[in-house]
Amino acid sequence: MTTPVCTLASNPTPYPSFSAYVRTRGSVLMRTARSLTANPCDAEDLLQTALTKTYVAWDRIEDHRALDGYVRRALVNTRTSQWRKRKVDEFACEELPEPEGTPGYDPAEAQALRDAMWRAVTRLPDRQRAMVVLRYYEDLSEAQTAELLGVSIGTVKSAVSRALVKLREDPELTPVR
Protein backbone atom coordinates (compact mmCIF):
# COMPACT_ATOMS: atom_id res chain seq x y z
CA MET A 1 0.00 0.00 0.00
CA THR A 2 1.41 3.34 -0.97
CA THR A 3 1.14 6.54 0.98
CA PRO A 4 -1.11 9.03 -0.83
CA VAL A 5 0.73 11.94 -2.33
CA CYS A 6 -0.76 15.36 -2.73
CA THR A 7 -1.25 15.71 -6.49
CA LEU A 8 -3.60 18.64 -6.42
CA ALA A 9 -1.56 20.73 -8.82
CA SER A 10 1.65 20.49 -10.76
CA ASN A 11 3.09 23.35 -8.70
CA PRO A 12 4.47 22.68 -5.25
CA THR A 13 1.90 23.18 -2.50
CA PRO A 14 1.90 26.58 -0.82
CA TYR A 15 1.27 24.71 2.44
CA PRO A 16 4.38 22.67 3.28
CA SER A 17 2.70 21.64 6.52
CA PHE A 18 -0.10 20.01 4.48
CA SER A 19 2.41 17.92 2.53
CA ALA A 20 4.12 16.92 5.77
CA TYR A 21 0.75 15.99 7.30
CA VAL A 22 -0.15 13.80 4.31
CA ARG A 23 3.25 12.07 4.40
CA THR A 24 3.04 11.30 8.13
CA ARG A 25 -0.67 10.47 8.49
CA GLY A 26 -1.45 9.14 4.99
CA SER A 27 -1.30 5.43 5.85
CA VAL A 28 -3.55 5.86 8.89
CA LEU A 29 -6.06 7.84 6.84
CA MET A 30 -5.90 5.23 4.07
CA ARG A 31 -6.89 2.53 6.60
CA THR A 32 -9.88 4.67 7.54
CA ALA A 33 -10.82 5.08 3.88
CA ARG A 34 -10.47 1.32 3.34
CA SER A 35 -12.86 0.70 6.21
CA LEU A 36 -15.47 2.86 4.48
CA THR A 37 -15.39 1.10 1.11
CA ALA A 38 -14.66 -2.44 -0.02
CA ASN A 39 -12.72 -1.53 -3.15
CA PRO A 40 -9.08 -0.39 -2.62
CA CYS A 41 -9.22 1.89 -5.67
CA ASP A 42 -12.39 3.53 -4.37
CA ALA A 43 -10.66 4.01 -1.02
CA GLU A 44 -7.78 5.82 -2.70
CA ASP A 45 -10.21 8.05 -4.60
CA LEU A 46 -12.15 8.69 -1.41
CA LEU A 47 -9.03 9.69 0.49
CA GLN A 48 -7.83 11.89 -2.36
CA THR A 49 -11.18 13.70 -2.39
CA ALA A 50 -11.12 14.16 1.39
CA LEU A 51 -7.55 15.45 1.24
CA THR A 52 -8.55 17.85 -1.54
CA LYS A 53 -11.31 19.22 0.68
CA THR A 54 -8.85 19.51 3.55
CA TYR A 55 -6.31 21.30 1.35
CA VAL A 56 -8.93 23.82 0.20
CA ALA A 57 -9.86 24.53 3.83
CA TRP A 58 -6.27 24.37 5.18
CA ASP A 59 -5.96 28.07 6.03
CA ARG A 60 -9.40 28.09 7.71
CA ILE A 61 -8.62 25.14 10.02
CA GLU A 62 -7.73 26.73 13.33
CA ASP A 63 -6.57 23.72 15.32
CA HIS A 64 -4.17 21.62 13.26
CA ARG A 65 -3.94 19.15 16.13
CA ALA A 66 -7.49 18.03 15.18
CA LEU A 67 -6.69 17.40 11.51
CA ASP A 68 -7.30 13.64 11.73
CA GLY A 69 -10.83 14.29 12.91
CA TYR A 70 -11.39 16.84 10.15
CA VAL A 71 -10.17 14.45 7.46
CA ARG A 72 -12.14 11.54 8.90
CA ARG A 73 -15.31 13.66 8.85
CA ALA A 74 -14.52 14.62 5.24
CA LEU A 75 -14.08 10.91 4.42
CA VAL A 76 -17.40 9.95 5.97
CA ASN A 77 -19.28 12.87 4.43
CA THR A 78 -17.80 12.20 1.00
CA ARG A 79 -18.60 8.50 1.22
CA THR A 80 -22.15 9.28 2.30
CA SER A 81 -22.57 11.66 -0.64
CA GLN A 82 -21.23 9.02 -3.02
CA TRP A 83 -23.58 6.43 -1.61
CA ARG A 84 -26.57 8.72 -1.99
CA LYS A 85 -25.64 9.63 -5.56
CA ARG A 86 -24.74 6.15 -6.73
CA LYS A 87 -26.36 5.21 -9.96
CA VAL A 88 -28.26 2.05 -10.57
CA ASP A 89 -26.93 0.06 -13.48
CA GLU A 90 -29.49 -1.44 -15.81
CA PHE A 91 -28.74 -4.33 -18.06
CA ALA A 92 -30.83 -5.57 -20.96
CA CYS A 93 -31.94 -9.17 -20.66
CA GLU A 94 -34.39 -11.47 -22.36
CA GLU A 95 -36.43 -12.12 -19.25
CA LEU A 96 -38.04 -9.46 -17.08
CA PRO A 97 -36.79 -9.72 -13.48
CA GLU A 98 -39.92 -8.16 -12.01
CA PRO A 99 -42.24 -10.64 -10.33
CA GLU A 100 -45.77 -10.94 -11.54
CA GLY A 101 -48.35 -8.90 -9.66
CA THR A 102 -49.91 -10.52 -6.65
CA PRO A 103 -52.37 -13.00 -8.10
CA GLY A 104 -55.94 -12.15 -7.39
CA TYR A 105 -55.25 -8.72 -5.87
CA ASP A 106 -58.26 -6.54 -6.31
CA PRO A 107 -58.06 -2.91 -5.16
CA ALA A 108 -61.84 -2.87 -4.72
CA GLU A 109 -61.63 -5.83 -2.33
CA ALA A 110 -58.86 -4.12 -0.36
CA GLN A 111 -60.98 -0.96 -0.05
CA ALA A 112 -64.00 -3.01 0.98
CA LEU A 113 -61.90 -4.66 3.70
CA ARG A 114 -60.68 -1.26 4.96
CA ASP A 115 -64.27 0.00 5.03
CA ALA A 116 -65.44 -3.10 6.91
CA MET A 117 -62.57 -2.69 9.39
CA TRP A 118 -63.48 0.94 10.03
CA ARG A 119 -67.15 0.04 10.55
CA ALA A 120 -66.05 -2.64 13.05
CA VAL A 121 -63.86 -0.11 14.88
CA THR A 122 -66.78 2.33 15.12
CA ARG A 123 -68.86 -0.40 16.80
CA LEU A 124 -66.34 -0.68 19.65
CA PRO A 125 -67.13 1.07 22.95
CA ASP A 126 -65.89 4.69 22.97
CA ARG A 127 -62.89 4.09 25.23
CA GLN A 128 -61.67 1.01 23.33
CA ARG A 129 -62.26 2.74 20.00
CA ALA A 130 -60.19 5.75 21.11
CA MET A 131 -57.33 3.52 22.21
CA VAL A 132 -57.38 1.42 19.01
CA VAL A 133 -57.44 4.54 16.85
CA LEU A 134 -54.56 6.14 18.75
CA ARG A 135 -52.49 2.95 18.80
CA TYR A 136 -53.05 1.63 15.27
CA TYR A 137 -54.36 4.46 13.14
CA GLU A 138 -52.27 7.25 14.70
CA ASP A 139 -49.35 4.89 15.47
CA LEU A 140 -48.81 6.15 19.03
CA SER A 141 -47.01 4.01 21.59
CA GLU A 142 -48.81 2.59 24.61
CA ALA A 143 -47.16 5.21 26.81
CA GLN A 144 -48.17 8.06 24.49
CA THR A 145 -51.74 6.74 24.32
CA ALA A 146 -51.92 6.40 28.10
CA GLU A 147 -50.59 9.91 28.61
CA LEU A 148 -52.96 11.41 26.06
CA LEU A 149 -56.01 9.70 27.60
CA GLY A 150 -54.88 10.15 31.20
CA VAL A 151 -54.86 6.44 32.05
CA SER A 152 -52.17 3.93 32.95
CA ILE A 153 -50.22 1.92 30.39
CA GLY A 154 -51.78 -1.26 31.79
CA THR A 155 -55.25 0.15 31.11
CA VAL A 156 -54.28 0.83 27.52
CA LYS A 157 -52.86 -2.68 27.11
CA SER A 158 -55.91 -4.43 28.52
CA ALA A 159 -58.44 -2.24 26.70
CA VAL A 160 -56.67 -2.66 23.37
CA SER A 161 -56.42 -6.41 23.96
CA ARG A 162 -60.18 -6.65 24.59
CA ALA A 163 -60.87 -4.48 21.54
CA LEU A 164 -58.76 -6.72 19.31
CA VAL A 165 -60.66 -9.79 20.54
CA LYS A 166 -63.93 -8.07 19.58
CA LEU A 167 -62.54 -7.15 16.17
CA ARG A 168 -61.39 -10.74 15.54
CA GLU A 169 -64.88 -11.97 16.39
CA ASP A 170 -66.68 -9.36 14.25
CA PRO A 171 -68.79 -11.24 11.68
CA GLU A 172 -68.15 -8.63 8.98
CA LEU A 173 -64.39 -9.24 9.24
CA THR A 174 -64.53 -13.03 9.45
CA PRO A 175 -63.25 -14.48 6.17
CA VAL A 176 -65.59 -16.74 4.22
CA ARG A 177 -64.23 -20.30 4.10
Side-chain angles (χ1 to χ4, degrees):
M1 182 180 339
T2 61
T3 302
V5 178
C6 179
T7 58
L8 298 175
S10 58
N11 298 339
T13 177
Y15 302 118
S17 58
F18 177 78
S19 296
Y21 171 74
V22 172
R23 277 192 302 278
T24 57
R25 301 299 294 162
S27 60
V28 173
L29 297 171
M30 180 55 79
R31 279 195 301 270
T32 304
R34 287 290 309 268
S35 71
L36 294 172
T37 182
N39 185 331
C41 295
D42 289 343
E44 289 176 10
D45 290 343
L46 179 64
L47 180 57
Q48 189 67 36
T49 302
L51 288 174
T52 301
K53 291 177 180 181
T54 305
Y55 177 81
V56 169
W58 191 257
D59 56 350
R60 294 189 319 265
I61 299 173
E62 293 176 15
D63 185 7
H64 282 221
R65 293 175 303 199
L67 283 171
D68 282 356
Y70 184 93
V71 176
R72 281 191 192 104
R73 174 52 52 198
L75 285 166
V76 170
N77 290 346
T78 302
R79 183 64 183 139
T80 301
S81 294
Q82 290 171 346
W83 175 79
R84 287 181 179 152
K85 292 178 187 174
R86 92 178 158 209
K87 66 176 187 165
V88 176
D89 293 327
E90 293 183 21
F91 302 97
C93 60
E94 293 179 23
E95 193 175 307
L96 291 176
E98 291 87 14
E100 294 293 323
T102 307
Y105 175 77
D106 182 7
E109 278 185 38
Q111 184 61 48
L113 180 59
R114 282 191 290 275
D115 291 344
M117 182 61 161
W118 185 248
R119 284 191 300 274
V121 168
T122 60
R123 288 190 293 271
L124 291 172
D126 291 342
R127 187 172 174 165
Q128 287 179 359
R129 181 174 60 242
M131 291 182 191
V132 166
V133 167
L134 290 173
R135 285 283 292 127
Y136 298 105
Y137 284 84
E138 296 297 325
D139 201 27
L140 296 181
S141 68
E142 291 167 342
Q144 291 169 322
T145 302
E147 182 180 334
L148 190 64
L149 296 176
V151 296
S152 70
I153 294 174
T155 301
V156 171
K157 288 180 179 182
S158 62
V160 167
S161 176
R162 285 191 301 273
L164 293 177
V165 167
K166 288 181 182 180
L167 291 173
R168 283 186 201 103
E169 294 172 350
D170 191 292
E172 195 176 356
L173 297 177
T174 305
V176 179
R177 295 179 192 204

